[in-house]
Amino acid sequence: KAGWIEVVCGSMFSGKTEELIRRLNRARIAKQKVEIFKPSIDTRYHDEDIVSHNASSIRSTPIHSSEIMLSLAGDCDVVGVDEAQFFDNGIVEVVNTLAFNGKRVIVAGLDMDFQGIPFGPMPALMAIAEYITKVHAVCMVCGDVANYSYRKTAAQEQVMLGETDSYEARCRKCFHS
Ligand code: ADP
Ligand code: MG
């Protein structure tokens, strides 16, 4: 029996990590074996834990390359991945293989970078997923539904780890103004 792929996407502060943790905890309540991974570059709050902005957290394994998931996922039922946008495109094949091998794979990540451009492997992951959930933040300027991550500094590199000091959620109109 094959598994499937679920993607949880949205801007910063949209609740992707919260939603990922919620699904993984519920799988655990159902006595399913869960493995959770994150890219090792994301050490904002904690080396190992995945931590949401509302401070809920879950233990994860930081990995340098998505291929490592194939050996570490072992006999688990559910695989969770946070900050998937930071992996290279190899993650698409890895996630596909895990799903073919019967696992439920839940992938959370930013769908757009600070310029509003699709982020890394996320578009390809969304294309192969059975289920996609787009979650939204609240625009810090006007209070509308926010789907963009606005960078408050002049830095131009795509990957710049930061929090409310460097980013805020914004709606379409306030992001572009
Ligand atoms: P993500 O993983 O998508 O960055 P998290 O799950 O870590 O999001 O955090 C979601 C939490 O962020 C919310 O429950 C709320 O407490 C907090 N938060 C901070 N700023 C905002 C905002 N502008 N809109 C919505 N939630 C926000
Ligand atoms: Mg998150």
Side-chain angles (χ1 to χ4, degrees), residues 11-18 52-54 137-138 140 169:
S11 67
M12 289 183 71
F13 312 105
S14 62
K16 300 181 297 298
T17 300
E18 250 172 45
S52 81
H53 293 110
N54 74 349
V138 176
M140 294 300 280

mmCIF file of all heavy atoms in Angstrom, residues 11-18 52-54 137-138 140 169, ligand 1:
data_model
loop_
_atom_site.group_PDB
_atom_site.id
_atom_site.type_symbol
_atom_site.label_atom_id
_atom_site.label_comp_id
_atom_site.label_asym_id
_atom_site.label_seq_id
_atom_site.Cartn_x
_atom_site.Cartn_y
_atom_site.Cartn_z
ATOM 1 N N SER A 11 3.268 32.012 4.008
ATOM 2 C CA SER A 11 4.323 32.980 4.318
ATOM 3 C C SER A 11 4.894 32.713 5.710
ATOM 4 O O SER A 11 4.446 31.805 6.418
ATOM 5 C CB SER A 11 3.737 34.397 4.282
ATOM 6 O OG SER A 11 2.815 34.540 5.355
ATOM 7 N N MET A 12 5.847 33.524 6.112
ATOM 8 C CA MET A 12 6.323 33.473 7.486
ATOM 9 C C MET A 12 5.181 33.874 8.430
ATOM 10 O O MET A 12 4.350 34.705 8.069
ATOM 11 C CB MET A 12 7.520 34.411 7.683
ATOM 12 C CG MET A 12 8.783 33.905 6.995
ATOM 13 S SD MET A 12 10.204 34.955 7.299
ATOM 14 C CE MET A 12 10.532 34.626 9.030
ATOM 15 N N PHE A 13 5.142 33.270 9.581
ATOM 16 C CA PHE A 13 4.132 33.530 10.624
ATOM 17 C C PHE A 13 2.733 33.042 10.250
ATOM 18 O O PHE A 13 1.761 33.396 10.905
ATOM 19 C CB PHE A 13 4.062 35.024 10.995
ATOM 20 C CG PHE A 13 5.401 35.648 11.254
ATOM 21 C CD1 PHE A 13 5.982 36.488 10.321
ATOM 22 C CD2 PHE A 13 6.090 35.367 12.425
ATOM 23 C CE1 PHE A 13 7.230 37.062 10.554
ATOM 24 C CE2 PHE A 13 7.337 35.931 12.668
ATOM 25 C CZ PHE A 13 7.908 36.785 11.731
ATOM 26 N N SER A 14 2.630 32.240 9.186
ATOM 27 C CA SER A 14 1.300 31.799 8.759
ATOM 28 C C SER A 14 0.826 30.569 9.528
ATOM 29 O O SER A 14 -0.329 30.147 9.382
ATOM 30 C CB SER A 14 1.301 31.511 7.251
ATOM 31 O OG SER A 14 2.205 30.468 6.951
ATOM 32 N N GLY A 15 1.708 29.978 10.332
ATOM 33 C CA GLY A 15 1.284 28.815 11.120
ATOM 34 C C GLY A 15 1.626 27.479 10.482
ATOM 35 O O GLY A 15 1.038 26.454 10.833
ATOM 36 N N LYS A 16 2.593 27.466 9.577
ATOM 37 C CA LYS A 16 3.005 26.201 8.952
ATOM 38 C C LYS A 16 3.557 25.228 9.988
ATOM 39 O O LYS A 16 3.180 24.059 10.020
ATOM 40 C CB LYS A 16 4.103 26.456 7.897
ATOM 41 C CG LYS A 16 3.682 27.370 6.771
ATOM 42 C CD LYS A 16 4.810 27.560 5.770
ATOM 43 C CE LYS A 16 6.039 28.241 6.355
ATOM 44 N NZ LYS A 16 5.777 29.613 6.838
ATOM 45 N N THR A 17 4.456 25.723 10.831
ATOM 46 C CA THR A 17 5.064 24.839 11.826
ATOM 47 C C THR A 17 4.028 24.383 12.844
ATOM 48 O O THR A 17 3.985 23.209 13.223
ATOM 49 C CB THR A 17 6.245 25.552 12.516
ATOM 50 O OG1 THR A 17 7.211 25.883 11.509
ATOM 51 C CG2 THR A 17 6.891 24.672 13.553
ATOM 52 N N GLU A 18 3.159 25.307 13.270
ATOM 53 C CA GLU A 18 2.049 24.953 14.169
ATOM 54 C C GLU A 18 1.220 23.817 13.589
ATOM 55 O O GLU A 18 0.897 22.844 14.277
ATOM 56 C CB GLU A 18 1.116 26.166 14.286
ATOM 57 C CG GLU A 18 1.099 26.875 15.614
ATOM 58 C CD GLU A 18 0.286 28.167 15.502
ATOM 59 O OE1 GLU A 18 -0.823 28.180 14.924
ATOM 60 O OE2 GLU A 18 0.804 29.171 15.999
ATOM 61 N N SER A 52 7.626 26.575 16.763
ATOM 62 C CA SER A 52 6.760 27.523 16.060
ATOM 63 C C SER A 52 6.843 28.887 16.736
ATOM 64 O O SER A 52 7.341 29.009 17.853
ATOM 65 C CB SER A 52 5.313 27.032 16.059
ATOM 66 O OG SER A 52 4.708 27.355 17.288
ATOM 67 N N HIS A 53 6.335 29.897 16.057
ATOM 68 C CA HIS A 53 6.377 31.246 16.619
ATOM 69 C C HIS A 53 5.481 31.395 17.840
ATOM 70 O O HIS A 53 5.585 32.356 18.573
ATOM 71 C CB HIS A 53 5.996 32.278 15.560
ATOM 72 C CG HIS A 53 7.006 32.365 14.454
ATOM 73 N ND1 HIS A 53 6.746 31.923 13.172
ATOM 74 C CD2 HIS A 53 8.284 32.801 14.450
ATOM 75 C CE1 HIS A 53 7.826 32.109 12.433
ATOM 76 N NE2 HIS A 53 8.771 32.623 13.174
ATOM 77 N N ASN A 54 4.572 30.452 18.039
ATOM 78 C CA ASN A 54 3.785 30.504 19.277
ATOM 79 C C ASN A 54 4.365 29.559 20.330
ATOM 80 O O ASN A 54 3.718 29.222 21.301
ATOM 81 C CB ASN A 54 2.305 30.224 19.014
ATOM 82 C CG ASN A 54 2.043 28.759 18.733
ATOM 83 O OD1 ASN A 54 2.968 27.981 18.533
ATOM 84 N ND2 ASN A 54 0.796 28.375 18.726
ATOM 85 N N ALA A 137 -1.096 34.328 7.229
ATOM 86 C CA ALA A 137 -0.817 35.170 8.388
ATOM 87 C C ALA A 137 -1.735 36.389 8.333
ATOM 88 O O ALA A 137 -2.624 36.492 7.487
ATOM 89 C CB ALA A 137 0.652 35.587 8.390
ATOM 90 N N VAL A 138 -1.503 37.301 9.269
ATOM 91 C CA VAL A 138 -2.249 38.553 9.332
ATOM 92 C C VAL A 138 -1.311 39.670 8.882
ATOM 93 O O VAL A 138 -0.184 39.772 9.391
ATOM 94 C CB VAL A 138 -2.732 38.819 10.773
ATOM 95 C CG1 VAL A 138 -3.436 40.163 10.870
ATOM 96 C CG2 VAL A 138 -3.632 37.693 11.256
ATOM 97 N N MET A 140 0.705 42.795 8.805
ATOM 98 C CA MET A 140 1.118 43.653 9.915
ATOM 99 C C MET A 140 0.861 45.132 9.627
ATOM 100 O O MET A 140 0.959 45.970 10.522
ATOM 101 C CB MET A 140 2.602 43.431 10.228
ATOM 102 C CG MET A 140 2.898 42.035 10.753
ATOM 103 S SD MET A 140 2.014 41.647 12.279
ATOM 104 C CE MET A 140 3.067 42.492 13.464
ATOM 105 N N ALA A 169 4.763 39.634 8.061
ATOM 106 C CA ALA A 169 3.765 39.129 7.125
ATOM 107 C C ALA A 169 3.012 40.312 6.526
ATOM 108 O O ALA A 169 2.677 41.267 7.236
ATOM 109 C CB ALA A 169 2.804 38.195 7.855
HETATM 110 P P1 ADP B 1 5.371 29.597 10.360
HETATM 111 O O1 ADP B 1 5.979 28.235 10.612
HETATM 112 O O2 ADP B 1 4.440 29.598 9.179
HETATM 113 O O3 ADP B 1 6.397 30.690 10.256
HETATM 114 P P2 ADP B 1 4.487 29.382 13.086
HETATM 115 O O4 ADP B 1 3.651 28.152 13.173
HETATM 116 O O5 ADP B 1 5.908 29.275 13.558
HETATM 117 O O6 ADP B 1 4.444 29.959 11.584
HETATM 118 O O7 ADP B 1 3.859 30.592 13.921
HETATM 119 C C1 ADP B 1 2.520 30.963 13.852
HETATM 120 C C2 ADP B 1 2.292 31.927 15.020
HETATM 121 O O8 ADP B 1 2.986 33.144 14.746
HETATM 122 C C3 ADP B 1 0.878 32.385 15.244
HETATM 123 O O9 ADP B 1 0.136 31.472 16.003
HETATM 124 C C4 ADP B 1 1.095 33.677 16.044
HETATM 125 O O10 ADP B 1 1.252 33.390 17.406
HETATM 126 C C5 ADP B 1 2.432 34.176 15.546
HETATM 127 N N1 ADP B 1 2.391 35.361 14.686
HETATM 128 C C6 ADP B 1 3.312 36.373 14.698
HETATM 129 N N2 ADP B 1 3.048 37.303 13.757
HETATM 130 C C7 ADP B 1 1.917 36.904 13.109
HETATM 131 C C8 ADP B 1 1.139 37.437 12.030
HETATM 132 N N3 ADP B 1 1.464 38.584 11.414
HETATM 133 N N4 ADP B 1 0.051 36.744 11.623
HETATM 134 C C9 ADP B 1 -0.275 35.586 12.239
HETATM 135 N N5 ADP B 1 0.408 35.033 13.254
HETATM 136 C C10 ADP B 1 1.501 35.671 13.702
#
